Amino acid sequence: MINSMLSLCVVAFFLFAYLNIIVTQDYFIAALDLFTGLLSLFTLGLLRRDKNIQQAAFLSTIVLMTFMIVFITRNENSHFGIIWSIFIPYFAIMFNGKKLGLYISIFFYTIMFALAYKGLGIWSDGEWASIDLVRFTIASSLLTFIIYMTESAHEQADKELSLVRASEQKILQELTHLAITDELTGSYNRRHFNKTLPQFLDNAKNNNESVSFFILDIDYFKEYNDTYGHYAGDIVLKKVAQKLASLVENKGKLIFRIGGEEFAGVISMKDDTQAIINSINEQILELNIEHSSSKLPCKKLTVSVGVCTHCPSDEKQLEYFYKQADSALYKAKNSGRNTIATVE
């Protein structure tokens, strides 16, 4: 807006300079118009060079205010020239904000009212009388107040709109989080799995990197629920999810809950992938969760893991990795559980 208004001022002042030379032949006012037009052009150049809106707003307001004071002093309200002063509070408040703009407007009209008072009985062959000064003072003050209140309303509306947008953004983030997160465990859900894994594999393919995709299943989880109850089973799911997340923390990897007691994860081979995966069984066992219904001698909660490690290609995408890891998981279960089986 400031850029547009400054451009308009440049054109207007150059036009007025031309008209005052050709039509009124008032060369002093013409020179004043030309000088103000050049100052406006200079301010416009500063704005486009420095992108400093506040500086340009303040300078343009001071230029216009100074022009108006000099113009009225010279014009002496000829052809009711004082009417042009009504634009100053608009520029001052709109360009500089309601607070600074109000101070500038008060300063400007203090000078203008003094000039108008001094001109009583003198301006325009005595046509400028006390009633004209009163009308000018009331109208100017009222107009300034209206502009100030309008700008205050705009600022309040902008503030409230910003709060609404921030609230909407927060709600959107929460909804997005809920849409991709498993409510119980906090891991990513199956929907996010289906959306994210193809992108992860495509990035690895483009970078010619191998990845390890694994599927994890809690051993004898049905028996655990039957023995300890589903509430205890939910607690176990949370603990397993937290442990998996801690194993890949700060490594930019992804952990998903893809079924009741099934989790999946993907890890880039540029990290110490094998060590991370090999530690899963040990880390889960160290949770020291009693599982008296387990058919394993340790009678602790354990997991079985199936792993597929490959460099993604057009033929080796999500379906391929999933089938291979799922096949490896069954191999791990058939091998006695609490173990890891790998397909490479």
Side-chain angles (χ1 to χ4, degrees):
M1 184 179 71
I2 295 177
N3 181 79
S4 299
M5 294 303 295
L6 278 173
S7 299
L8 179 62
C9 285
V10 171
V11 174
F13 280 116
F14 284 162
L15 177 61
F16 284 141
Y18 174 78
L19 292 176
N20 281 312
I21 292 174
I22 302 300
V23 179
T24 66
Q25 296 184 345
D26 190 334
Y27 299 112
F28 178 86
I29 298 297
L32 181 62
D33 287 332
L34 181 61
F35 181 69
T36 307
L38 291 173
L39 285 178
S40 299
L41 184 61
F42 174 74
T43 305
L44 180 62
L46 286 180
L47 174 62
R48 294 182 176 179
R49 187 193 70 184
D50 301 335
K51 309 298 182 182
N52 190 329
I53 297 177
Q54 290 183 334
Q55 172 185 273
F58 183 75
L59 287 177
S60 60
T61 303
I62 296 301
V63 167
L64 292 174
M65 184 177 67
T66 304
F67 165 82
M68 186 56 59
I69 293 173
V70 176
F71 173 78
I72 294 302
T73 302
R74 169 74 178 189
N75 177 262
E76 294 188 345
N77 200 32
S78 176
H79 303 294
F80 201 45
I82 201 170
I83 191 66
W84 293 105
S85 67
I86 64 174
F87 289 102
I88 298 302
Y90 176 82
F91 280 102
I93 294 174
M94 291 298 191
F95 279 14
N96 300 277
K98 62 179 185 179
K99 187 175 181 180
L100 178 59
L102 181 61
Y103 292 153
I104 294 174
S105 299
I106 292 174
F107 174 76
F108 170 72
Y109 274 123
T110 298
I111 298 175
M112 289 301 300
F113 294 156
L115 290 175
Y117 178 79
K118 184 179 179 182
L120 290 175
I122 299 175
W123 285 356
S124 301
D125 299 323
E127 294 178 7
W128 183 253
S130 297
I131 187 64
D132 301 312
L133 174 61
V134 172
R135 288 172 177 170
F136 172 67
T137 302
I138 294 175
S140 300
S141 301
L142 183 60
L143 178 62
T144 301
F145 175 75
I146 292 173
I147 295 173
Y148 176 82
M149 294 304 297
T150 301
E151 183 64 14
S152 297
H154 286 164
E155 287 186 8
Q156 183 63 28
D158 289 342
K159 182 178 179 180
E160 292 177 358
L161 181 59
S162 297
L163 292 175
V164 170
R165 287 177 174 172
S167 177
E168 289 177 346
Q169 184 64 28
K170 183 178 179 181
I171 292 173
L172 179 60
Q173 291 174 350
E174 291 175 352
L175 290 175
T176 301
H177 178 74
L178 290 174
I180 65 175
T181 305
D182 176 58
E183 183 178 6
L184 176 63
T185 65
S187 302
Y188 290 123
N189 59 19
R190 186 62 180 259
R191 175 185 297 178
H192 196 54
F193 172 86
N194 292 332
K195 178 182 179 179
T196 305
L197 256 295
Q199 298 174 357
F200 188 96
L201 295 176
D202 281 341
N203 289 336
K205 181 185 72 173
N206 294 334
N207 295 325
N208 196 31
E209 295 176 353
S210 294
V211 300
S212 284
F213 173 75
F214 67 86
I215 300 177
L216 176 150
D217 186 88
I218 299 176
D219 295 329
Y220 303 111
F221 187 68
K222 180 180 181 303
E223 289 78 2
Y224 187 92
N225 277 335
D226 292 341
T227 302
Y228 299 97
H230 286 84
Y231 180 78
D234 288 347
I235 294 176
V236 163
L237 290 171
K238 292 179 183 178
K239 289 184 177 180
V240 170
Q242 291 169 359
K243 179 56 67 175
L244 289 174
S246 69
L247 290 175
V248 297
E249 185 178 5
N250 298 324
K251 296 183 180 297
K253 305 304 176 275
L254 303 172
I255 297 295
F256 307 86
R257 185 187 178 197
I258 58 175
E261 69 271 26
E262 280 193 345
F263 293 84
V266 60
I267 305 176
S268 173
M269 287 297 288
K270 64 184 179 182
D271 296 306
D272 192 3
T273 307
Q274 199 60 45
I276 295 173
I277 294 177
N278 287 341
S279 68
I280 291 177
N281 292 83
E282 180 181 351
Q283 292 291 325
I284 297 298
L285 193 59
E286 287 182 358
L287 289 174
N288 200 30
I289 299 174
E290 181 182 353
H291 189 351
S292 60
S293 301
S294 174
K295 298 178 182 179
L296 298 177
C298 64
K299 298 301 179 181
K300 301 292 183 182
L301 190 81
T302 59
V303 296
S304 297
V305 184
V307 185
C308 174
T309 301
H310 273 293
C311 182
S313 63
D314 292 336
E315 296 78 23
K316 296 176 181 178
Q317 288 297 310
L318 177 57
E319 183 179 359
Y320 172 85
F321 279 87
Y322 193 95
K323 287 182 177 180
Q324 293 295 312
D326 193 49
S327 176
L329 175 62
Y330 278 102
K331 180 181 177 182
K333 289 182 177 181
N334 293 331
S335 299
R337 306 201 186 205
N338 188 28
T339 188
I340 296 174
T342 302
V343 174
E344 296 184 352

